[in-house]
Amino acid sequence: MSFTIFYFNPKATAETRAAVQAALPGGWNLLTPSSPGDQSRELAACDFILVADHPITAANLDAAPRLRMIQHQGVGHDNIDLAACQARGIPVAITPEGTSTGVAEHTLLLILALYKKLLVAAGAARQGRWLQWELRAASHELSGKVLGLVGFGRIGQEVARRAAAFNARILYTDPLATAPSDLLAERVATLGQLLERADIVSLHLPLTTQTRHLINARSLAQMRRSALLINTSRGGLVDEAALLEALDSGRLAGAGLDVLAQEPPPGNHPLLQRDDVLITPHISAGTREAFATKMRHAFANMLRHTRGEPLHHCVTALAEAKTLT
Ligand code: NAD
Protein backbone atom coordinates (compact mmCIF):
# COMPACT_ATOMS: atom_id res chain seq x y z
CA MET A 1 0.00 0.00 0.00
CA SER A 2 1.29 3.47 -0.81
CA PHE A 3 0.99 6.42 1.55
CA THR A 4 1.67 10.13 1.24
CA ILE A 5 3.87 11.89 3.79
CA PHE A 6 3.90 15.65 4.16
CA TYR A 7 7.26 16.86 5.50
CA PHE A 8 5.88 19.99 7.18
CA ASN A 9 9.17 21.83 7.51
CA PRO A 10 9.35 24.98 5.37
CA LYS A 11 12.86 25.69 6.72
CA ALA A 12 14.33 22.40 5.42
CA THR A 13 17.16 22.74 2.89
CA ALA A 14 17.22 20.78 -0.38
CA GLU A 15 19.82 18.51 1.23
CA THR A 16 17.52 17.76 4.18
CA ARG A 17 14.56 17.07 1.90
CA ALA A 18 16.75 14.68 -0.11
CA ALA A 19 17.71 12.85 3.10
CA VAL A 20 14.02 12.43 4.00
CA GLN A 21 13.28 11.19 0.49
CA ALA A 22 16.13 8.67 0.74
CA ALA A 23 14.70 7.22 3.97
CA LEU A 24 11.12 6.96 2.65
CA PRO A 25 9.61 3.44 2.62
CA GLY A 26 9.45 1.99 -0.90
CA GLY A 27 6.49 3.23 -2.95
CA TRP A 28 5.53 6.05 -0.54
CA ASN A 29 5.21 9.65 -1.77
CA LEU A 30 6.83 12.68 -0.18
CA LEU A 31 5.29 16.16 -0.25
CA THR A 32 7.18 19.24 0.90
CA PRO A 33 5.78 22.79 1.30
CA SER A 34 5.30 24.14 -2.22
CA SER A 35 4.34 27.73 -1.44
CA PRO A 36 5.29 29.69 1.68
CA GLY A 37 2.41 30.21 4.10
CA ASP A 38 -0.11 28.02 2.26
CA GLN A 39 0.13 24.29 2.77
CA SER A 40 -3.52 23.49 2.02
CA ARG A 41 -2.73 21.32 -1.02
CA GLU A 42 -0.21 19.18 0.88
CA LEU A 43 -2.45 18.91 3.96
CA ALA A 44 -5.42 17.82 1.85
CA ALA A 45 -3.41 14.99 0.30
CA CYS A 46 -1.35 13.59 3.18
CA ASP A 47 -1.79 10.40 5.22
CA PHE A 48 1.07 11.22 7.61
CA ILE A 49 2.76 14.44 8.72
CA LEU A 50 6.43 14.45 9.62
CA VAL A 51 7.26 17.66 11.48
CA ALA A 52 10.21 19.35 13.18
CA ASP A 53 9.48 22.59 15.06
CA HIS A 54 6.77 24.01 12.77
CA PRO A 55 3.49 24.55 14.65
CA ILE A 56 0.58 22.21 13.99
CA THR A 57 -2.76 23.85 14.70
CA ALA A 58 -6.38 22.74 14.83
CA ALA A 59 -6.88 24.51 11.46
CA ASN A 60 -4.07 22.40 9.93
CA LEU A 61 -5.79 19.25 11.17
CA ASP A 62 -9.14 20.35 9.75
CA ALA A 63 -7.42 20.88 6.39
CA ALA A 64 -6.07 17.29 6.44
CA PRO A 65 -9.05 14.89 6.16
CA ARG A 66 -6.89 11.84 5.29
CA LEU A 67 -4.39 12.38 8.11
CA ARG A 68 -3.77 9.27 10.24
CA MET A 69 -0.81 10.20 12.39
CA ILE A 70 1.76 12.91 13.16
CA GLN A 71 5.37 11.94 13.73
CA HIS A 72 7.60 14.61 15.30
CA GLN A 73 11.19 14.09 14.17
CA GLY A 74 12.56 15.15 17.58
CA VAL A 75 11.34 15.37 21.17
CA GLY A 76 10.10 18.87 22.12
CA HIS A 77 6.54 18.87 20.76
CA ASP A 78 5.31 22.05 22.46
CA ASN A 79 4.34 23.54 19.05
CA ILE A 80 1.79 20.81 18.32
CA ASP A 81 -1.79 21.34 19.53
CA LEU A 82 -2.06 17.97 21.28
CA ALA A 83 -5.60 18.60 22.53
CA ALA A 84 -6.77 19.25 18.95
CA CYS A 85 -5.03 16.06 17.75
CA GLN A 86 -6.60 14.09 20.54
CA ALA A 87 -10.07 15.49 19.83
CA ARG A 88 -9.74 14.38 16.19
CA GLY A 89 -8.30 10.94 16.98
CA ILE A 90 -4.88 11.72 15.48
CA PRO A 91 -2.01 10.14 17.45
CA VAL A 92 1.24 12.07 17.81
CA ALA A 93 4.57 10.31 18.34
CA ILE A 94 8.06 11.68 18.97
CA THR A 95 11.51 10.40 17.93
CA PRO A 96 13.97 10.45 20.85
CA GLU A 97 16.30 8.11 18.95
CA GLY A 98 19.12 10.17 17.50
CA THR A 99 18.32 13.23 19.62
CA SER A 100 19.91 12.72 23.03
CA THR A 101 23.54 12.24 21.94
CA GLY A 102 23.65 15.46 19.94
CA VAL A 103 22.03 17.56 22.65
CA ALA A 104 24.26 16.09 25.36
CA GLU A 105 27.41 16.76 23.32
CA HIS A 106 26.21 20.30 22.58
CA THR A 107 25.61 20.96 26.27
CA LEU A 108 29.22 20.02 27.04
CA LEU A 109 30.38 22.15 24.10
CA LEU A 110 28.62 25.24 25.49
CA ILE A 111 29.96 24.71 29.02
CA LEU A 112 33.57 24.20 27.90
CA ALA A 113 33.44 27.07 25.39
CA LEU A 114 32.16 29.49 28.05
CA TYR A 115 34.64 28.30 30.67
CA LYS A 116 37.53 28.71 28.22
CA LYS A 117 36.31 32.04 26.72
CA LEU A 118 36.39 30.42 23.30
CA LEU A 119 34.43 33.18 21.54
CA VAL A 120 36.79 35.89 22.74
CA ALA A 121 40.02 33.90 22.33
CA ALA A 122 39.29 32.60 18.84
CA GLY A 123 37.76 35.92 17.69
CA ALA A 124 40.85 37.82 18.84
CA ALA A 125 43.21 35.29 17.18
CA ARG A 126 41.41 35.86 13.86
CA GLN A 127 42.03 39.58 14.25
CA GLY A 128 45.73 39.06 14.98
CA ARG A 129 45.52 39.44 18.77
CA TRP A 130 47.12 36.59 20.73
CA LEU A 131 45.49 36.56 24.16
CA GLN A 132 47.85 33.97 25.67
CA TRP A 133 47.71 35.40 29.20
CA GLU A 134 44.85 37.88 29.27
CA LEU A 135 42.01 35.36 29.69
CA ARG A 136 43.51 33.01 32.29
CA ALA A 137 42.22 34.70 35.42
CA ALA A 138 38.64 34.35 34.18
CA SER A 139 38.91 30.85 32.64
CA HIS A 140 37.84 27.62 34.35
CA GLU A 141 37.89 23.84 34.24
CA LEU A 142 34.78 21.66 34.35
CA SER A 143 36.68 19.18 36.52
CA GLY A 144 35.54 19.45 40.15
CA LYS A 145 32.57 21.72 39.39
CA VAL A 146 28.99 20.99 40.43
CA LEU A 147 26.73 20.53 37.41
CA GLY A 148 23.06 20.95 38.30
CA LEU A 149 20.66 19.29 35.87
CA VAL A 150 17.06 20.47 35.89
CA GLY A 151 15.27 17.50 34.32
CA PHE A 152 16.89 14.09 34.41
CA GLY A 153 15.21 12.24 31.56
CA ARG A 154 16.89 10.91 28.43
CA ILE A 155 19.02 13.99 27.69
CA GLY A 156 19.77 14.98 31.30
CA GLN A 157 21.20 11.50 31.95
CA GLU A 158 23.30 11.56 28.77
CA VAL A 159 24.73 14.94 29.84
CA ALA A 160 25.49 13.49 33.28
CA ARG A 161 27.42 10.56 31.78
CA ARG A 162 29.58 12.86 29.68
CA ALA A 163 30.13 15.41 32.45
CA ALA A 164 31.12 12.61 34.85
CA ALA A 165 33.92 11.72 32.42
CA PHE A 166 35.14 15.32 32.85
CA ASN A 167 35.15 14.75 36.63
CA ALA A 168 32.21 17.06 37.34
CA ARG A 169 29.91 16.36 40.30
CA ILE A 170 26.32 15.84 39.25
CA LEU A 171 23.21 17.15 41.03
CA TYR A 172 19.74 16.82 39.58
CA THR A 173 16.14 17.64 40.29
CA ASP A 174 13.25 15.86 38.58
CA PRO A 175 9.78 15.04 39.88
CA LEU A 176 9.79 11.61 38.21
CA ALA A 177 13.17 10.34 37.02
CA THR A 178 15.86 8.90 39.27
CA ALA A 179 19.49 8.10 38.47
CA PRO A 180 20.22 4.59 37.21
CA SER A 181 22.50 2.60 39.51
CA ASP A 182 25.57 3.01 37.23
CA LEU A 183 25.39 6.81 37.31
CA LEU A 184 26.82 8.73 40.26
CA ALA A 185 24.44 11.65 40.71
CA GLU A 186 22.83 13.27 43.73
CA ARG A 187 19.14 14.03 43.70
CA VAL A 188 17.92 17.23 45.35
CA ALA A 189 14.27 17.75 46.20
CA THR A 190 13.81 21.29 44.95
CA LEU A 191 14.99 23.59 42.20
CA GLY A 192 16.05 26.07 44.88
CA GLN A 193 18.47 23.57 46.46
CA LEU A 194 20.00 22.87 43.08
CA LEU A 195 20.37 26.57 42.18
CA GLU A 196 22.14 27.34 45.47
CA ARG A 197 24.76 24.62 44.98
CA ALA A 198 25.42 24.37 41.25
CA ASP A 199 28.34 26.01 39.42
CA ILE A 200 26.51 25.27 36.19
CA VAL A 201 22.73 25.00 35.84
CA SER A 202 21.62 23.14 32.72
CA LEU A 203 17.98 22.80 31.63
CA HIS A 204 16.70 19.46 30.27
CA LEU A 205 12.94 19.58 30.79
CA PRO A 206 9.99 20.24 28.49
CA LEU A 207 8.35 23.62 28.02
CA THR A 208 4.81 23.53 29.44
CA THR A 209 2.50 26.07 31.04
CA GLN A 210 4.04 25.05 34.40
CA THR A 211 7.68 25.40 33.31
CA ARG A 212 7.46 28.64 31.25
CA HIS A 213 9.92 31.15 32.77
CA LEU A 214 11.08 28.59 35.34
CA ILE A 215 14.29 30.59 35.23
CA ASN A 216 13.23 34.12 36.22
CA ALA A 217 14.50 36.97 38.38
CA ARG A 218 13.77 35.01 41.55
CA SER A 219 15.48 31.79 40.47
CA LEU A 220 18.44 33.68 38.98
CA ALA A 221 18.90 35.41 42.33
CA GLN A 222 19.21 31.98 43.98
CA MET A 223 22.12 30.97 41.71
CA ARG A 224 25.76 31.27 42.69
CA ARG A 225 27.44 34.51 41.56
CA SER A 226 29.95 32.68 39.39
CA ALA A 227 27.41 30.30 37.87
CA LEU A 228 26.69 29.54 34.23
CA LEU A 229 23.21 28.92 32.82
CA ILE A 230 22.91 26.47 29.91
CA ASN A 231 19.68 26.04 27.95
CA THR A 232 19.45 23.47 25.16
CA SER A 233 15.76 22.73 25.82
CA ARG A 234 13.34 25.55 24.94
CA GLY A 235 13.70 29.33 24.99
CA GLY A 236 10.43 29.80 26.87
CA LEU A 237 11.93 28.20 29.99
CA VAL A 238 13.99 31.37 30.58
CA ASP A 239 12.80 34.92 31.20
CA GLU A 240 15.35 36.58 28.89
CA ALA A 241 14.87 40.08 30.33
CA ALA A 242 15.69 38.73 33.80
CA LEU A 243 18.70 36.84 32.41
CA LEU A 244 20.01 40.01 30.78
CA GLU A 245 19.66 41.89 34.05
CA ALA A 246 21.46 39.13 35.98
CA LEU A 247 24.36 39.21 33.50
CA ASP A 248 24.52 43.03 33.51
CA SER A 249 24.60 43.16 37.28
CA GLY A 250 27.34 40.51 37.47
CA ARG A 251 25.06 38.05 39.28
CA LEU A 252 25.79 35.42 36.66
CA ALA A 253 29.08 34.59 34.90
CA GLY A 254 27.58 33.62 31.56
CA ALA A 255 24.98 31.74 29.56
CA GLY A 256 25.05 29.18 26.77
CA LEU A 257 21.79 29.12 24.81
CA ASP A 258 20.87 26.88 21.88
CA VAL A 259 17.26 28.08 22.06
CA LEU A 260 15.61 31.48 22.44
CA ALA A 261 12.09 32.67 23.14
CA GLN A 262 11.88 33.94 19.55
CA GLU A 263 13.67 32.01 16.82
CA PRO A 264 15.29 33.40 14.81
CA PRO A 265 15.80 36.35 17.18
CA PRO A 266 15.60 39.96 16.00
CA GLY A 267 19.02 41.26 14.89
CA ASN A 268 19.15 43.69 17.83
CA HIS A 269 18.43 41.02 20.47
CA PRO A 270 20.42 42.24 23.50
CA LEU A 271 21.84 38.77 24.31
CA LEU A 272 23.36 38.28 20.84
CA GLN A 273 26.45 40.49 21.00
CA ARG A 274 27.75 39.73 24.48
CA ASP A 275 31.07 38.02 25.18
CA ASP A 276 29.58 36.24 28.21
CA VAL A 277 26.73 34.68 26.19
CA LEU A 278 27.22 31.96 23.60
CA ILE A 279 24.20 31.53 21.35
CA THR A 280 23.80 28.76 18.76
CA PRO A 281 20.85 28.53 16.32
CA HIS A 282 18.92 25.55 17.77
CA ILE A 283 21.41 23.02 16.42
CA SER A 284 21.97 20.74 19.43
CA ALA A 285 20.48 17.68 17.77
CA GLY A 286 21.30 18.85 14.25
CA THR A 287 23.91 16.41 13.07
CA ARG A 288 24.11 14.17 10.02
CA GLU A 289 24.25 11.10 12.27
CA ALA A 290 21.22 12.19 14.30
CA PHE A 291 19.14 12.89 11.20
CA ALA A 292 19.76 9.47 9.68
CA THR A 293 18.80 7.77 12.97
CA LYS A 294 15.70 9.94 13.40
CA MET A 295 14.43 9.22 9.88
CA ARG A 296 14.94 5.48 10.35
CA HIS A 297 12.91 5.48 13.56
CA ALA A 298 10.30 8.00 12.37
CA PHE A 299 9.40 5.91 9.31
CA ALA A 300 9.53 2.67 11.31
CA ASN A 301 6.84 4.19 13.55
CA MET A 302 4.65 5.17 10.59
CA LEU A 303 5.02 1.64 9.22
CA ARG A 304 3.97 0.35 12.64
CA HIS A 305 0.82 2.45 12.30
CA THR A 306 0.04 0.99 8.86
CA ARG A 307 0.27 -2.52 10.37
CA GLY A 308 -2.04 -1.58 13.25
CA GLU A 309 0.75 -2.07 15.82
CA PRO A 310 1.20 0.08 18.95
CA LEU A 311 3.31 3.18 18.27
CA HIS A 312 6.57 3.91 20.00
CA HIS A 313 6.85 7.15 22.01
CA CYS A 314 3.25 8.20 21.54
CA VAL A 315 2.55 11.47 23.39
CA THR A 316 -1.23 11.57 22.93
CA ALA A 317 -3.47 9.22 24.84
CA LEU A 318 -4.09 7.56 21.47
CA ALA A 319 -1.31 5.01 21.64
CA GLU A 320 -3.13 2.44 19.52
CA ALA A 321 -3.07 2.78 15.77
CA LYS A 322 -6.34 3.26 13.92
CA THR A 323 -7.12 0.34 11.63
CA LEU A 324 -6.51 1.06 7.99
CA THR A 325 -9.73 -0.07 6.47
P1 NAD B 1 12.47 13.48 28.74
O1 NAD B 1 10.99 13.49 28.69
O2 NAD B 1 13.21 12.20 28.59
O3 NAD B 1 12.99 14.20 30.07
C1 NAD B 1 12.45 15.37 30.59
C2 NAD B 1 12.48 15.27 32.10
O4 NAD B 1 12.09 16.55 32.64
C3 NAD B 1 11.48 14.23 32.65
O5 NAD B 1 12.18 13.25 33.40
C4 NAD B 1 10.52 15.06 33.52
O6 NAD B 1 10.10 14.38 34.68
C5 NAD B 1 11.41 16.26 33.86
N1 NAD B 1 10.67 17.44 34.31
C6 NAD B 1 9.45 17.87 33.92
N2 NAD B 1 9.13 18.99 34.60
C7 NAD B 1 10.15 19.26 35.44
C8 NAD B 1 10.41 20.28 36.39
N3 NAD B 1 9.53 21.28 36.63
N4 NAD B 1 11.60 20.25 37.07
C9 NAD B 1 12.50 19.26 36.83
N5 NAD B 1 12.31 18.27 35.94
C10 NAD B 1 11.15 18.28 35.25
O7 NAD B 1 12.92 14.52 27.59
P2 NAD B 1 14.36 14.62 26.90
O8 NAD B 1 14.41 13.72 25.73
O9 NAD B 1 15.42 14.53 27.95
O10 NAD B 1 14.28 16.13 26.33
C11 NAD B 1 14.24 17.25 27.21
C12 NAD B 1 13.92 18.50 26.42
O11 NAD B 1 15.00 18.80 25.55
C13 NAD B 1 12.72 18.38 25.48
O12 NAD B 1 11.50 18.62 26.14
C14 NAD B 1 13.01 19.39 24.41
O13 NAD B 1 12.35 20.61 24.70
C15 NAD B 1 14.51 19.62 24.50
N6 NAD B 1 15.21 19.27 23.25
C16 NAD B 1 15.90 20.25 22.61
C17 NAD B 1 16.59 19.94 21.44
C18 NAD B 1 17.40 20.98 20.71
O14 NAD B 1 17.65 20.82 19.52
N7 NAD B 1 17.86 22.03 21.33
C19 NAD B 1 16.55 18.64 20.92
C20 NAD B 1 15.84 17.68 21.62
C21 NAD B 1 15.17 18.00 22.79
Side-chain angles (χ1 to χ4, degrees):
M1 222 169 161
S2 174
F3 294 98
T4 298
I5 313 272
F6 175 32
Y7 187 38
F8 200 167
N9 182 2
K11 291 187 274 184
T13 60
E15 211 177 18
T16 301
R17 289 195 297 271
V20 178
Q21 179 76 53
L24 210 61
W28 288 29
N29 309 310
L30 181 68
L31 298 175
T32 54
S34 52
S35 55
D38 177 19
Q39 272 84 52
S40 48
R41 218 151 44 98
E42 294 82 357
L43 287 167
C46 69
D47 301 297
F48 293 90
I49 290 177
L50 177 64
V51 69
D53 60 352
H54 196 279
I56 297 205
T57 62
N60 294 148
L61 300 176
D62 290 339
R66 295 166 50 130
L67 183 64
R68 296 180 172 281
M69 175 196 169
I70 296 169
Q71 180 75 37
H72 185 288
Q73 70 171 54
V75 175
H77 54 278
D78 40 279
N79 271 347
I80 301 177
D81 186 339
L82 282 191
C85 293
Q86 196 124 337
R88 289 158 182 77
I90 305 294
V92 179
I94 58 171
T95 319
E97 299 92 349
T99 294
S100 307
T101 300
V103 182
E105 288 189 1
H106 201 83
T107 302
L108 270 288
L109 170 79
L110 292 175
I111 296 170
L112 295 172
L114 285 164
Y115 265 172
K116 251 348 196 337
K117 311 285 175 218
L118 189 70
L119 268 182
V120 179
R126 283 183 164 222
Q127 292 165 1
R129 288 183 299 122
W130 200 245
L131 304 183
Q132 184 175 359
W133 291 96
E134 289 80 349
L135 300 172
R136 294 184 183 214
S139 295
H140 299 281
E141 293 172 346
L142 174 53
S143 179
K145 298 295 186 302
V146 176
L147 172 61
L149 301 171
V150 186
F152 204 60
R154 289 172 293 247
I155 294 172
Q157 293 184 26
E158 290 299 318
V159 171
R161 288 185 194 287
R162 284 157 181 78
F166 280 84
N167 200 31
R169 289 172 48 211
I170 314 297
L171 287 188
Y172 70 94
T173 184
D174 193 306
L176 300 175
T178 50
S181 55
D182 65 330
L183 195 51
L184 199 60
E186 182 189 343
R187 181 179 203 157
V188 290
T190 66
L191 176 65
Q193 288 167 355
L194 181 135
L195 296 174
E196 280 166 20
R197 288 175 57 194
D199 297 301
I200 305 149
V201 173
S202 191
L203 308 180
H204 302 288
L205 71 164
L207 175 65
T208 63
T209 41
Q210 288 81 40
T211 62
R212 183 170 295 279
H213 287 189
L214 185 83
I215 300 301
N216 52 34
R218 189 167 155 268
S219 41
L220 287 162
Q222 286 175 282
M223 287 173 66
R224 299 175 62 133
R225 263 201 119 66
S226 55
L228 295 181
L229 174 71
I230 306 293
N231 187 8
T232 56
S233 283
R234 283 292 178 268
L237 293 169
V238 176
D239 176 345
E240 289 173 359
L243 172 61
L244 187 66
E245 207 173 302
L247 290 162
D248 276 342
S249 66
R251 271 224 55 78
L252 214 62
L257 310 171
D258 185 47
V259 284
L260 290 173
Q262 185 188 332
E263 296 177 10
N268 63 351
H269 192 297
L271 290 170
L272 276 177
Q273 305 299 337
R274 302 178 65 102
D275 286 345
D276 54 0
V277 178
L278 178 49
I279 290 178
T280 53
H282 203 144
I283 54 171
S284 290
T287 63
R288 215 183 163 86
E289 293 85 350
F291 198 77
T293 309
K294 282 164 188 246
M295 288 307 115
R296 209 170 49 250
H297 286 273
F299 286 120
N301 225 15
M302 293 183 214
L303 283 167
R304 240 170 241 126
H305 188 282
T306 65
R307 295 191 295 260
E309 295 170 8
L311 300 174
H312 288 191
H313 313 298
C314 193
V315 292
T316 45
L318 307 153
E320 299 303 320
K322 285 198 295 188
T323 46
L324 292 173
T325 50

